[in-house]
């Protein structure tokens, strides 16, 4: 059991007295609907059975003592619940600290400190939302420890708020929502404009979800994520001059084609095209799944990748190689990059009998072309956060 090792580490570092809680929050993979969540569109992510384990104990003073088994070289990082602000030296602890700060901003001040040990089995910086997993986990622990009256959906919104305002990444709601609201065996069809959602069973008869990790590291803060977001905002402002809409997600493909010339720059027009078409693709993909048409779902995943590559320009040679090699293999139903892009992972639906060939062929072609190895994970769809002990 992984969590027992995390608990043992906690006791070694911080002793075994008092009330110690053991918690888990998942990572997520998005099946389709990429870069639509800050454009008022739909997304279709699911929580995974891999994620972040946390062992925590409330303190009597205001001290914070944080330790991550993924960054052991950093040792125990100490700070305080007073005067929370982002600091470079605080490294990964800026995520849990950001959530504590965000609770305070929402009128739920954290008055006492805690000792916390984390261990994540999500590859770091892979685009499977290790940071959102830590954020939701922290919120879940704070609720349990201090009795704050918040729903899991609130935990998602607080996590996003902390990421936006404390950690400086203008991310949408998808990751934190997928993690806080996850349900085993289901993906979440979420309308990011209204936060209305529906659970859709993922029944892939005789097929698996395979994640291919490019091992090209990516930090959202230093990527072009915020730049894409502002390009979409420019496009929206210009198109609003000619049609009455709130978000790019309000447009059908036909309406976009009719009004797209209102967007002045070619770049912003391409970005908006992706946002509009990707949203419509997501709606079609969920309908296809409801009709048990996994083949069409896969084709829409492939089209999503092409659009992210050519119009949104967030893929890069690593992700393109993984996807283009996957497309060559019999038994691959669909394959695309997932998450923010610029590195990170791809998601593929692969027939059971083709999984081994997939890993072998895509793996060796990737190594030949890129020069280092990719990693492959056959994943399961899991539940949202839980208290394990
Ligand atoms: C990151 C962000 C999400 C979303 C995706 C792209 O994962 O955190 O909000 O924008 O990129 O779909």
């Amino acid at each position: 059991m992984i969590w027992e090792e995390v608990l043992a580490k906690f006791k070694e570092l911080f002793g075994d007295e008092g009330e110690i809680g053991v918690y888990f929050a998942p990572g997520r993979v998005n099946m389709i609907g990429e870069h639509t969540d800050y454009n008022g569109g739909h997304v279709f992510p699911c929580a995974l059975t891999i994620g972040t384990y946390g062992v925590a104990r409330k303190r009597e003073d205001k001290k914070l003592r944080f330790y991550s088994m993924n960054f052991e070289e950093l040792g125990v990082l100490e700070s305080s619940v007073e005067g929370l602000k982002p600091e470079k030296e605080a490294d990964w602890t800026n995520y849990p600290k950001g959530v504590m700060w965000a609770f305070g901003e929402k009128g739920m001040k954290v008055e006492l400190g805690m000792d916390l040990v984390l261990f994540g089995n999500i590859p770091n910086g892979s685009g499977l939302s290790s940071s959102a997993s830590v954020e939701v986990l922290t919120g879940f622990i704070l609720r349990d420890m201090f009795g704050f009256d918040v729903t899991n959906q609130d935990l998602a919104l607080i996590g996003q708020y902390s990421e936006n305002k404390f950690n400086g990444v203008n991310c949408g709601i998808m990751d934190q929502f997928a993690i806080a609201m996850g349900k085993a065996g289901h993906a979440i069809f979420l309308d990011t404009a209204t936060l209305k959602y529906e659970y859709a069973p993922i029944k892939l008869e005789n097929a698996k979800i395979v994640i291919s990790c490019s091992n090209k590291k990516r930090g959202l803060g230093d990527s072009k994520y915020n730049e894409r977001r502002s390009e979409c905002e420019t496009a929206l402002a210009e198109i609003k001059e000619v049609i009455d809409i709130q978000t790019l997600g309000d447009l059908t493909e036909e309406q976009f084609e009719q009004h797209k010339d209102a967007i002045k720059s070619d770049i912003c027009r391409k970005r908006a095209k992706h946002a509009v078409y990707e949203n419509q693709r997501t709606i079609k993909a969920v309908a296809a799944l409801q009709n048990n048409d996994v083949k069409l779902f896969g084709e829409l995943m492939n089209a999503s990748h092409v659009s992210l590559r050519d119009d949104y320009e967030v893929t890069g040679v690593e992700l393109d190689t993984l996807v283009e090699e996957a497309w060559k293999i019999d038994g691959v139903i669909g394959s695309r990059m997932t998450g923010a892009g610029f590195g990170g992972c791809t998601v593929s639906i692969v027939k059971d009998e083709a999984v081994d060939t997939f890993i072998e062929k895509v793996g060796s072609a990737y190594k030949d072309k890129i020069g280092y190895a990719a990693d492959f994970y056959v994943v399961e769809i899991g539940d949202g956060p839980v208290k394990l002990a």
Side-chain angles (χ1 to χ4, degrees):
M1 279 301 240
I2 299 172
W3 68 261
E4 286 170 345
E5 287 166 38
V6 189
L7 180 59
K9 189 76 200 176
F10 182 95
K11 290 181 177 172
E12 178 196 321
L13 288 167
F14 301 133
D16 66 356
E17 55 286 346
E19 203 180 314
I20 301 172
V22 182
Y23 308 84
F24 172 80
R28 70 95 186 89
V29 65
N30 187 24
M31 300 303 294
I32 192 162
E34 216 66 81
H35 289 280
T36 48
D37 68 344
Y38 51 85
N39 284 309
H42 292 77
V43 292
F44 196 52
C46 39
L48 298 171
T49 54
I50 52 175
T52 316
Y53 293 83
V55 176
R57 181 180 54 205
K58 188 166 32 174
R59 295 180 56 90
E60 300 298 318
D61 58 14
K62 300 203 178 259
K63 209 184 253 189
L64 296 170
R65 294 195 295 178
F66 292 160
Y67 183 87
S68 166
M69 293 170 73
N70 299 83
F71 302 104
E72 300 199 299
E73 67 285 3
L74 297 174
V76 175
L77 293 168
E78 290 200 14
S79 53
S80 161
V81 291
E82 293 304 330
L84 292 164
K85 57 176 188 311
E87 282 160 338
K88 202 160 180 291
E89 320 74 74
D91 206 272
W92 67 270
T93 69
N94 281 317
Y95 290 106
K97 284 167 72 177
V99 173
M100 294 179 166
W101 170 85
F103 268 84
E105 292 294 295
K106 304 281 172 197
M108 296 169 280
K109 188 161 177 351
V110 179
E111 300 284 1
L112 293 173
M114 69 161 89
D115 295 328
L116 174 70
V117 173
L118 294 187
F119 171 70
N121 57 356
I122 311 170
N124 297 316
S126 62
L128 302 178
S129 289
S130 50
S131 52
S133 178
V134 170
E135 289 159 4
V136 172
L137 181 73
T138 307
F140 191 83
I141 293 173
L142 292 174
R143 176 173 75 188
D144 188 55
M145 216 176 244
F146 298 104
F148 293 130
D149 184 17
V150 284
T151 63
N152 276 27
Q153 185 166 317
D154 296 331
L155 295 181
L157 289 162
I158 293 170
Q160 182 201 16
Y161 186 79
S162 76
E163 177 116 20
N164 293 168
K165 306 284 180 202
F166 196 88
N167 281 301
V169 179
N170 272 327
C171 67
I173 188 62
M174 171 169 74
D175 303 345
Q176 291 82 2
F177 199 96
I179 289 166
M181 305 294 284
K183 180 170 170 175
H186 293 72
I188 309 174
F189 182 43
L190 170 69
D191 179 346
T192 62
T194 59
L195 294 190
K196 283 209 181 100
Y197 65 95
E198 224 174 277
Y199 289 109
I202 300 284
K203 284 182 278 168
L204 302 173
E205 270 137 41
N206 310 318
K208 297 269 185 296
I209 301 175
V210 182
I211 290 178
S212 313
C213 188
S214 69
N215 287 326
K216 180 185 180 201
K217 293 282 183 256
R218 167 200 64 81
L220 277 185
D222 40 70
S223 75
K224 294 190 172 291
Y225 185 88
N226 288 348
E227 181 184 297
R228 289 294 176 280
R229 194 169 174 150
S230 67
E231 288 161 350
C232 287
E233 278 160 14
T234 305
L236 175 65
E238 289 173 353
I239 211 163
K240 268 177 150 179
E241 306 266 322
V242 293
I243 179 170
D244 182 21
I245 52 165
Q246 298 301 314
T247 69
L248 292 173
D250 292 338
L251 292 172
T252 62
E253 291 113 324
E254 294 72 26
Q255 286 170 320
F256 176 76
E257 293 303 330
Q258 202 184 332
H259 298 293
K260 66 182 180 191
D261 292 337
I263 305 170
K264 296 189 192 82
S265 91
D266 293 346
I267 297 270
C268 292
R269 201 177 312 115
K270 285 209 288 190
R271 307 299 191 239
K273 179 179 178 203
H274 167 78
V276 171
Y277 279 68
E278 179 75 355
N279 179 41
Q280 298 300 327
R281 255 193 300 276
T282 306
I283 298 168
K284 288 177 198 159
V286 175
L289 210 58
Q290 274 153 359
N291 295 327
N292 284 320
D293 192 345
V294 179
K295 185 167 172 284
L296 177 57
F297 187 87
E299 286 164 11
L300 291 160
M301 286 174 76
N302 297 345
S304 164
H305 186 82
V306 171
S307 174
L308 288 156
R309 183 189 66 193
D310 299 344
D311 287 331
Y312 220 63
E313 298 180 283
V314 291
T315 58
V317 62
E318 297 84 2
L319 294 173
D320 288 339
T321 302
L322 287 173
V323 165
E324 285 157 22
E325 292 299 326
W327 287 342
K328 291 181 190 162
I329 291 169
D330 275 347
V332 171
I333 296 168
S335 185
R336 56 182 289 278
M337 61 150 266
T338 185
F342 311 105
C345 291
T346 70
V347 57
S348 309
I349 301 179
V350 185
K351 290 197 175 143
D352 289 341
E353 67 274 14
V355 170
D356 290 342
T357 318
F358 176 96
I359 294 175
E360 188 194 312
K361 291 211 167 144
V362 177
S364 81
Y366 185 79
K367 183 138 197 273
D368 284 351
K369 182 152 182 191
I370 306 298
Y372 50 83
D375 288 317
F376 298 88
Y377 305 87
V378 178
V379 295
E380 305 286 337
I381 304 178
D383 282 315
V386 284
K387 185 169 188 183
L388 296 167

